[in-house]
Amino acid sequence: MLGAISVTHPASTTLSSWTYSRTSGNRLFLSGYKPRTVSMSLSNNRSSNKKQLEGESLYLGLDFGTSGARFAIIDIVGTIQAEAKRNYPIYLNGESRDWARSWKETLFLLLEDIPLNLRKHIVSISIDGTSATTMIVDSDTGEPLWRPLLYNESCPDALPAVKSIAPPNHTVGYDPEVDSYPSWLVCQPYSHLLPSVVAPGTPIACLKEELRNKFGFQKQCVVCSGTTDSIAAFLAARATQPGKAVTSLGSTLAIKLLSNTRIEDSRFGVYSHRLDDKWLVGGASNTGGVVLRQIFTDDQLEKLSEQINPSQISLLDYYPLPKAGERFPIADPELAPRLLPRPENDVEYLHGILESIARIEAKGYGLLKELGATEVDQVFTAGGGAKNEKWTKIRERVLGLPVSRADQTEAAYGTALLAIKGDQQNIL
């Protein structure tokens, strides 16, 4: 039996059952779960009327990003009790990187990193992963049947087949507005392999018995559906009003804007996620921290940034990409990186790169407005780039908007909030 998983993250298959599994005797899982439609909530209610249980109920959020993974453990009012991060170990399968093995090992290393005295109090777990990363697994064993297809991989050979069945400018996949796959996709002969879809924070199954025993989690600890890393970062920021946006400055740049209007346009890599009665619209560029680290060390970035005058406009015009290919605000799999000419002064060079990334961000928000989304009026920043104060001032000037670091900037915190949501509606 085969199943195609559009991740939350592949590591989730190790923890609990997937809702689309069509086998009743699945050997992997302690208990199954019948999918139901629930709404994703951005509520800022911290359950102040609920008595805090002094560590008796804790919630684990796991973030599997581009370059590494993190966990955050919070209590019912959102206070962080523990957090840690791990880089992915490098394993090779022939000439290609074995990502599935790296993710799985990192997952278990993170679980081991959780303090022993906290594990027994964790009642719910949720996981995020990079958007559009996909892996096909055997639904009986959970083992991958083919290497993962990563979020930043282009598949130009598949485009003719997709264009032959999809309407013009359609974003391929599940339609959150009508809670179903589009009819043109359902009628395909492989439609039985499409995964069932539930909202983020939906309880799926109890943690596998062998994992409970190995790590010391409680018997009723549940695994909940997760979301993408950039949406998790948005949830962490608790931006609850239309017009509020979150830019995630990690290895890549992703923008998310809370809008009253849904917009979708595959020409520009623009898509929307349902968020209660509103829409989380945005896109993800391949520019970001991964480009900076190709050129500078972390120590260089810190020291050079200190010397930048953020009020001064850089005349350098770059399009910083780690390699050819862009998703948003330009959808062009062959777009070449532009990082020349390089000035002799590294401060000037870094200034030009940071400002060029800010221009890409501004172009993204401008595009969302042009397509009909609610106009952005404030930007919160998440991810590692949120720590760079000079970059924040540059972006504030380029965007012409107030820009501030979110109180919580880690996607793992957002998935921990989803774990709270799942626990509160748990009927397993």
Side-chain angles (χ1 to χ4, degrees), residues 234 243-245 255-259 279-281 365 368 373-374 376:
F234 188 96
K244 308 303 179 187
I255 69 174
K256 293 286 185 290
L257 167 67
L258 194 60
S259 172
W279 295 93
L280 195 56
V281 304
Y365 283 120
L368 298 185
T374 300
V376 59

Side-chain angles (χ1 to χ4, degrees), residues 271-311:
Y271 50 86
S272 294
H273 297 271
R274 192 176 68 186
L275 207 57
D276 289 339
D277 60 342
K278 296 179 178 60
W279 295 93
L280 195 56
V281 304
S285 169
N286 289 335
T287 192
V290 67
V291 181
L292 296 172
R293 285 194 170 89
Q294 287 178 345
I295 304 171
F296 304 105
T297 66
D298 288 349
D299 186 57
Q300 287 174 323
L301 287 171
E302 183 177 352
K303 291 181 178 179
L304 293 173
S305 294
E306 292 174 356
Q307 303 174 60
I308 292 175
N309 180 358
S311 64

Side-chain angles (χ1 to χ4, degrees), residues 54-59 117-123 216 218:
E54 297 181 352
E56 291 186 12
S57 291
L58 298 178
Y59 308 88
N117 64 314
L118 298 183
R119 296 181 196 174
K120 63 182 178 181
H121 298 299
I122 294 173
V123 298
Q218 62 174 265

